[in-house]
Amino acid sequence: QVQLVESGGGMVRAGDSTRLSCTASGDTFNTDDMGWFRRVPGNEREFVASISWYSGSTTYTNSVKGRFTISRDNAKNTMYLEMNNLTPEDTSRYYCGARMQSPGFNYWGRGTQVTVSS
């Protein structure tokens, strides 16, 4: 079993920055990718960014490109999301996800709230 636990988040003002962390534990040996998702209106889960666990290749959704940076520390089984120049539209609950031997992400953390005020 795999457990993903997010940390960070909170309330920030527009234009500010914050950093989210996600630490994986359990059977993480076959991790292919880890990424960040967020809830949008209608409770849909929207892709934000992902990183290949071994190659380090990154992917971002267009709305955060140039503002957010995803990274990982393999030795610590930890993934980070540096969030810069935040806007109120970034307000959401952010979830850590992992893809392990699956076409899509198949493990999830419980999320952490990020609220951006004007």
Side-chain angles (χ1 to χ4, degrees):
Q1 194 66 253
V2 175
Q3 297 83 42
L4 305 175
V5 179
E6 302 92 341
S7 62
M11 192 166 186
V12 298
R13 300 195 68 84
D16 286 354
S17 299
T18 193
R19 189 182 75 163
L20 307 181
S21 300
C22 173
T23 298
S25 61
D27 188 10
T28 62
F29 182 77
N30 291 316
T31 299
D32 296 307
D33 302 281
M34 292 186 69
W36 293 97
F37 296 75
R38 63 189 180 188
R39 295 290 183 184
V40 297
N43 207 37
E44 182 180 356
R45 188 155 50 197
E46 177 190 57
F47 170 80
V48 177
S50 66
I51 186 165
S52 172
W53 205 243
Y54 295 100
S55 75
S57 297
T58 59
T59 304
Y60 299 91
T61 191
N62 286 336
S63 63
V64 308
K65 197 171 298 181
R67 298 190 298 120
F68 292 7
T69 302
I70 189 171
S71 61
R72 90 277 196 239
D73 186 331
N74 298 59
K76 295 181 179 180
N77 287 321
T78 300
M79 174 184 64
Y80 307 94
L81 185 67
E82 179 71 29
M83 309 166 72
N84 300 312
N85 194 25
L86 287 160
T87 74
E89 292 186 347
D90 295 316
T91 295
S92 185
R93 190 168 183 86
Y94 284 73
Y95 296 86
C96 173
R99 186 176 70 83
M100 300 175 57
Q101 298 180 318
S102 172
F105 285 78
N106 53 341
Y107 292 93
W108 303 96
R110 293 184 177 182
T112 184
Q113 181 69 28
V114 175
T115 301
V116 185
S117 62
S118 300

